[in-house]
Amino acid sequence: MKKMVLQLTIEDEKRKRKALKVVAAVEGVDSVAVDMKEKKMTVIGEADPVFVTARLRKFGFNFAELQSVGPAKDEKKEEEKPENPTVVYVQRPYYYDYSFANDENPNACTIC
């Protein structure tokens, strides 16, 4: 997984929706987020960063600039595990294997 940060020229909601639609259509993109204040787009996925930038430029975002590419942090791995896990022991009854059937005499016990 890669995390790509792109600088875009987004003025209004219409351009934001268009950028989201263009990037979401690229194969390998898992999630897309846009920050309107900083005019940045964050893309997470296995897609090629150069291809994502070229795709945005093709669809009218001529000043799309790739700011950074890095590994996406997996939030699930950051969860803390308990230090002392609770272990419960279950004692199961022990069953003896009594074979009462015999080929010669079905009534004979093999233990006796």
Side-chain angles (χ1 to χ4, degrees):
M1 287 282 204
K2 293 182 251 181
K3 179 180 178 182
M4 301 164 260
V5 179
L6 300 128
Q7 184 78 35
L8 299 175
T9 54
I10 302 174
E11 295 84 23
D12 55 357
E13 288 294 319
K14 185 177 178 182
R15 297 278 290 172
K16 176 184 170 183
R17 282 193 308 266
K18 185 176 180 182
L20 287 171
K21 187 177 178 181
V22 168
V23 173
V26 174
E27 187 177 341
V29 173
D30 291 334
S31 68
V32 182
V34 176
D35 185 10
M36 290 291 287
K37 291 180 182 177
E38 295 182 13
K39 296 185 179 182
K40 289 187 178 183
M41 175 182 281
T42 305
V43 182
I44 298 175
E46 291 295 327
D48 182 25
V50 176
F51 181 75
V52 172
T53 307
R55 193 80 173 163
L56 282 166
R57 288 179 182 167
K58 180 180 178 182
F59 282 94
F61 296 93
N62 296 332
F63 298 105
E65 218 177 280
L66 187 61
Q67 295 290 318
S68 67
V69 178
K73 293 181 181 177
D74 195 10
E75 296 173 0
K76 294 178 183 176
K77 290 182 181 177
E78 293 178 2
E79 294 177 5
E80 293 182 15
K81 294 182 180 179
E83 293 178 10
N84 297 326
T86 305
V87 179
V88 179
Y89 293 101
V90 178
Q91 185 176 7
R92 298 185 179 176
Y94 182 76
Y95 294 103
Y96 292 101
D97 184 24
Y98 293 105
S99 299
F100 291 105
N102 195 349
D103 293 337
E104 298 173 4
N105 188 0
N107 295 330
C109 179
T110 57
I111 298 175
C112 304

